[in-house]
Amino acid sequence: MTQEPAGIPPELARLRHSIDNIDAALVYLLAERFKATKQVGVLKAQRGLPPSDPGREERQVNRLRELAHQADLDPVFAEKFLEFIVAEVIRHHEALAQDHGTDA
């Protein structure tokens, strides 16, 4: 936890601590997600499959938008967040395909 400056109301410090904990959890969750997508990328590269799967991506966007709606989170934000992650995953998969000598 980061040290709060003097004079910060205790309630604000408590909320910030909660936010810091959530941020840490997000980082670890993203790390786990990328470990799994790396395994997917290796399998795709070994089998000569394309780095991206537009059909899967579309289903995931729809699923995430629905989850966002249920969680009272802006679905547009959720979609942008997923697009950012998927773009990075595809970049990793393309690199794995190159390492395995398959076309990306």
Side-chain angles (χ1 to χ4, degrees):
M1 180 170 117
T2 58
Q3 189 66 20
E4 292 290 340
I8 296 291
E11 183 67 7
L12 178 57
R14 184 188 66 75
L15 289 168
R16 286 179 174 173
H17 179 68
S18 179
I19 291 167
D20 291 348
N21 286 341
I22 294 166
D23 288 345
L26 286 170
V27 167
Y28 281 96
L29 285 171
L30 284 170
E32 287 302 310
R33 189 185 195 288
F34 276 97
K35 287 176 190 173
T37 60
K38 182 177 181 180
Q39 293 174 350
V40 168
V42 168
L43 288 171
K44 285 180 173 183
Q46 289 171 343
R47 289 167 174 76
L49 297 171
S52 68
D53 181 343
R56 161 94 173 143
E57 293 160 25
E58 182 180 351
R59 289 188 303 276
Q60 284 296 92
V61 165
N62 292 334
R63 180 179 157 272
L64 197 69
R65 287 180 69 88
E66 179 59 31
L67 288 170
H69 179 72
Q70 292 171 10
D72 200 26
L73 179 68
D74 179 6
V76 173
F77 169 78
E79 184 174 346
K80 287 179 183 178
F81 183 70
L82 182 65
E83 287 173 356
F84 176 77
I85 292 171
V86 169
E88 187 67 10
V89 167
I90 291 170
R91 190 179 69 77
H92 291 175
H93 289 188
E94 289 170 345
L96 287 166
Q98 274 191 331
D99 291 346
H100 281 79
T102 59
D103 291 331

